[in-house]
């Protein structure tokens, strides 16, 4: 433990009940086990001492001020759909759920923005924008994630190749600091060079710096037409080699994904979601958005022609919502399908330069096979974010699985670094990738991370032990010295 946090007492439980409402507070064995972990239980299952559902920023502020005074760790949790063990109470303390803070305010058409509380779901943000003829582009696979979780992890998703990440759509943030003070980072303006850009530092900080209580997001006019192409290839290598050729075309794709046939079969077999193309050992899925049918037709024609010239077996056009839906339903069902098809899973979500995708995929498969692991690479190849999915079969013991995945991950991260990539493209560090971080970024970067953490949270009470771990530190004035 990095610091002797206070073990909560009956007095602490009663204090939180007075700040909120006893009907929204659970203690000890009253807390449901589902709140001990996120979507990857392999990264730790840690029971909080108290679970509370807050309804406004004033409650968040009061709880944080109390926790700061009493030296109690606090973890903020949204929908719990994370994949890095980030929203777990590694050192006990308080789990603070913001899912009741889910109000979505009316769209500001003059500024083309939408404002929401952190518990609002991504799918509801997208629907609210669409109802007003607007478009919120960030589109990670888990649509039931909270918008606060998306912001605090800088979620990417399938449309990042054209539109960018969540960070590119955040105008301003209201947040509660670890000591309970309420801060606003930036405002609803298009550009801002007023001091350090703290807003962008908070985005992607995985709940270790502050608790988001309201966010204003940029919207775009909705595209008027869209089409998805499915391009089957004889091999994964040919499929991956096609990515840079698609990106060389004069039309910017909205999304580029690849799937191997074996992974498609897993989803079809376990979820009964049928993929419309039966050909090929691997498929490339390319989506285009456009503001006119002529623009869309030109983009689709150019992509189809290039694909057929470079080894595609066919070109299937999913040019209606129904056809497109069948394609993306299979892509979106990958994680659920893998869970149903294996004893447990491990994932490496590295990101590499787009020009190195094929090289990474080929090497990753060799690495996994050398450790006796069944591997299924897939991912957002339009931005180089490759999800290397490792699946455990019933024949592997706990020790064999742990040893093989650890050795495999070490080599995969080294491969990503060698190719000019990064440790994580969108799932973050959390608790699951913590041990690999320093070797990847180096000790000087770790010093910078620690300095940033201490600037926000010198007592280390907010989501401790995630992203950056403090060990064997000595107490200083007001908290810790790094």
């Amino acid at each position: 433990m990095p610091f002797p946090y206070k073990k909560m007492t009956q007095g602490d439980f009663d204090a939180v009940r007075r700040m909120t409402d006893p009907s929204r507070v659970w203690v000890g064995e009253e807390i449901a086990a589902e709140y001990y972990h996120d979507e990857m239980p392999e990264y730790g299952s840690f029971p909080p001492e108290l679970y509370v559902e807050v309804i406004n920023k004033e409650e968040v502020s009061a709880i944080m001020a109390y926790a700061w005074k009493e030296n109690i760790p606090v973890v903020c949790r949204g929908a719990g759909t994370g994949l890095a063990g980030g929203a777990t109470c590694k050192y006990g303390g308080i789990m603070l759920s913001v899912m009741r803070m889910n109000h979505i305010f009316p769209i500001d058409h003059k500024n083309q923005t939408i404002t929401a509380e952190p518990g609002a779901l991504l799918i509801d943000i997208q629907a609210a924008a669409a109802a007003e003829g607007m478009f919120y582009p960030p589109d990670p696979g888990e649509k039931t994630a909270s918008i606060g979780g998306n912001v605090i992890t800088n979620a990417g998703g399938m449309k990042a190749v054209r539109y960018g990440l969540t960070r590119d759509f955040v105008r301003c943030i209201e947040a509660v600091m670890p000591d309970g003070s309420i801060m606003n980072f930036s405002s609803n303006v298009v550009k801002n060079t007023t001091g350090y850009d703290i807003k962008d530092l908070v985005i992607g900080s995985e709940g270790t710096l502050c608790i988001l209580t309201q966010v204003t997001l940029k919207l775009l006019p909705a595209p008027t037409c869209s089409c998805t192409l499915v391009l089957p290839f004889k091999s994964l290598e040919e499929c991956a080699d096609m990515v840079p050729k698609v990106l060389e075309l004069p039309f910017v794709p909205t999304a580029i994904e690849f799937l191997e046939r074996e992974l498609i079969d897993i989803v079809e077999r376990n979820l009964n979601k049928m993929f419309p193309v039966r050909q090929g050992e691997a498929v490339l899925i390319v989506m285009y958005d456009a503001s006119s049918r002529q623009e869309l037709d030109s983009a689709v024609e150019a992509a189809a022609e290039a694909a057929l010239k470079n080894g595609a077996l066919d070109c299937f056009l999913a040019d209606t919502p129904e056809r497109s839906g069948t394609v993306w339903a299979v892509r979106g069902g990958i994680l659920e399908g893998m869970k149903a098809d294996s004893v447990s899973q491990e994932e490496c979500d590295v990101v590499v330069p787009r020009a190195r995708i094929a090289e990474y995929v080929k090497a990753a498969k060799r690495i996994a096979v050398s450790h006796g692991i069944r591997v299924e690479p897939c991912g957002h190849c339009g931005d180089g974010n490759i999800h290397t999915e490792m699946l455990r079969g019933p024949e592997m013991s706990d020790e064999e699985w742990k040893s093989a995945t650890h050795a495999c991950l070490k080599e995969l991260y080294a491969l990503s670094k060698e190719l000019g990539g990064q440790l994580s493209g969108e799932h973050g560090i959390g608790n699951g990738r913590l041990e690999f971080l320093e070797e990847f970024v180096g000790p000087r970067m770790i010093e910078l991370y620690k300095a940033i953490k201490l600037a926000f949270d010198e007592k280390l009470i907010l989501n401790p032990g995630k992203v950056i771990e403090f060990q064997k530190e000595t107490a200083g004035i007001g908290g810790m010295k790094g």
Side-chain angles (χ1 to χ4, degrees):
M1 181 178 291
F3 190 82
Y5 295 119
K6 179 183 180 182
K7 175 77 174 172
M8 295 187 74
T9 66
Q10 187 63 47
D12 298 319
F13 302 149
D14 292 341
V16 175
R17 290 188 178 104
R18 287 194 297 271
M19 293 175 219
T20 54
D21 184 316
S23 68
R24 293 187 275 110
V25 178
W26 292 262
V27 173
E29 293 183 358
E30 300 171 353
I31 304 170
E34 66 187 271
Y35 299 121
Y36 293 7
H37 60 80
D38 64 9
E39 286 290 332
M40 289 293 282
E42 290 80 3
Y43 296 153
S45 183
F46 308 103
E49 295 167 73
L50 178 146
Y51 172 78
V52 56
E53 296 178 346
V54 293
I55 60 172
N56 54 47
K57 65 183 177 184
E58 288 78 17
E59 289 187 350
V60 178
S61 175
I63 291 170
M64 288 310 307
Y66 183 84
W68 179 266
K69 176 175 171 288
E70 297 295 328
N71 205 45
I72 298 169
V74 179
V75 173
C76 181
R77 185 180 175 99
T81 59
L83 294 167
T88 56
C89 290
K90 194 171 179 178
Y91 298 111
I94 298 170
M95 174 167 281
L96 188 149
S97 170
V98 293
M99 290 308 291
R100 291 190 188 226
M101 293 178 63
N102 57 13
H103 185 63
I104 300 174
F105 298 90
I107 286 177
D108 179 346
H109 282 278
K110 290 183 178 180
N111 286 306
Q112 293 190 310
T113 58
I114 187 169
T115 299
E117 292 179 327
L121 300 184
L122 169 64
I123 192 171
D124 294 332
I125 296 282
Q126 292 173 329
E132 298 284 328
M134 303 299 289
F135 178 41
Y136 180 66
D139 194 37
E142 183 51 77
K143 305 299 186 293
T144 59
S146 66
I147 195 65
N150 276 192
V151 171
I152 220 70
T153 59
N154 191 28
M158 291 174 273
K159 296 180 180 178
V161 59
R162 175 166 184 159
Y163 297 110
L165 306 175
T166 299
R167 172 176 281 114
D168 300 303
F169 290 86
V170 177
R171 282 280 175 83
C172 53
I173 289 173
E174 175 192 85
V176 173
M177 300 292 283
D179 64 359
S181 57
I182 299 173
M183 297 285 291
N184 287 282
F185 301 116
S186 195
S187 58
N188 194 358
V189 293
V190 175
K191 60 182 180 179
N192 180 10
T193 59
T194 309
Y196 295 125
D197 195 344
I198 304 299
K199 169 180 68 72
D200 271 7
L201 187 59
V202 167
I203 299 166
S205 61
E206 301 187 40
T208 63
L209 304 183
C210 57
I211 296 177
L212 187 150
T213 53
Q214 191 169 287
V215 61
T216 297
L217 305 161
K218 178 178 75 171
L219 301 177
L220 299 177
T224 57
C225 45
S226 166
C227 183
T228 295
L229 292 80
V230 180
L231 310 169
F233 289 86
K234 287 185 291 186
S235 69
L236 178 62
E237 288 77 13
E238 285 188 24
C239 185
D241 287 340
M242 183 64 208
V243 174
K245 295 180 174 63
V246 172
L247 294 168
E248 288 170 0
L249 298 173
F251 305 96
V252 180
T254 297
I256 312 177
E257 304 281 313
F258 73 83
L259 295 176
E260 284 191 278
R261 178 59 56 184
E262 186 176 350
L263 196 48
I264 294 171
D265 291 343
I266 287 173
V267 176
E268 290 184 332
R269 182 169 64 248
N270 291 286
L271 305 183
N272 199 32
K273 294 181 178 181
M274 308 310 293
F275 198 70
V277 175
R278 313 308 305 171
Q279 296 171 280
E281 288 304 307
V283 299
L284 196 66
I285 306 171
V286 183
M287 174 191 281
Y288 287 101
D289 289 336
S291 56
S292 70
R293 175 56 60 176
Q294 182 180 359
E295 179 189 351
L296 183 65
D297 289 345
S298 297
V300 169
E301 184 178 341
E305 183 179 330
L308 293 171
K309 187 182 295 184
N310 286 279
L313 302 173
D314 201 351
C315 180
F316 173 81
L317 299 186
D319 53 359
T320 67
E322 294 74 23
R323 289 177 179 175
S324 179
T326 61
V327 173
W328 292 108
V330 171
R331 172 62 184 89
I334 285 175
L335 182 60
E336 187 181 352
M338 289 190 305
K339 285 184 175 181
D341 206 64
S342 57
V343 176
S344 58
Q345 310 79 38
E346 177 62 271
E347 184 191 53
C348 160
D349 86 307
V350 300
V351 58
V352 298
R354 293 186 298 199
R356 313 299 293 273
I357 290 172
E359 189 176 349
Y360 171 82
V361 170
K362 294 171 189 175
K365 291 177 77 70
R366 290 195 298 269
I367 290 169
V369 168
S370 74
H371 293 288
I373 290 179
R374 177 183 167 203
V375 66
E376 301 289 350
C378 65
H380 316 310
C381 49
D383 54 28
N385 187 192
I386 311 302
H387 300 297
T388 312
E389 315 284 0
M390 290 164 268
L391 309 183
R392 176 181 172 182
E395 72 286 349
M396 293 189 81
S397 69
D398 289 349
E399 189 55 43
E400 287 172 335
W401 169 249
K402 184 177 180 181
S403 174
T405 53
H406 190 276
C408 192
L409 286 170
K410 200 165 185 180
E411 289 191 47
L412 290 170
Y413 292 141
L415 171 64
S416 172
K417 186 174 182 180
E418 179 186 335
L419 297 178
Q422 293 293 329
L423 187 64
S424 174
E426 60 185 0
H427 294 164
I429 304 303
N431 184 54
R433 297 172 183 85
L434 191 60
E435 66 175 296
F436 301 103
L437 184 61
E438 182 167 0
E439 187 175 338
F440 197 97
V441 303
R444 183 68 182 100
M445 187 68 78
I446 294 296
E447 289 178 15
L448 290 175
Y449 291 162
K450 286 185 175 183
I452 291 168
K453 171 66 172 172
L454 290 168
F456 279 78
D457 180 16
E458 64 182 26
K459 287 191 174 182
L460 307 180
I461 65 165
L462 192 52
N463 205 9
K466 314 295 173 54
V467 183
I468 187 71
E469 183 81 282
F470 287 75
Q471 294 179 345
K472 298 179 181 178
E473 307 284 6
T474 57
I477 297 173
M480 305 290 295
K481 287 186 176 178

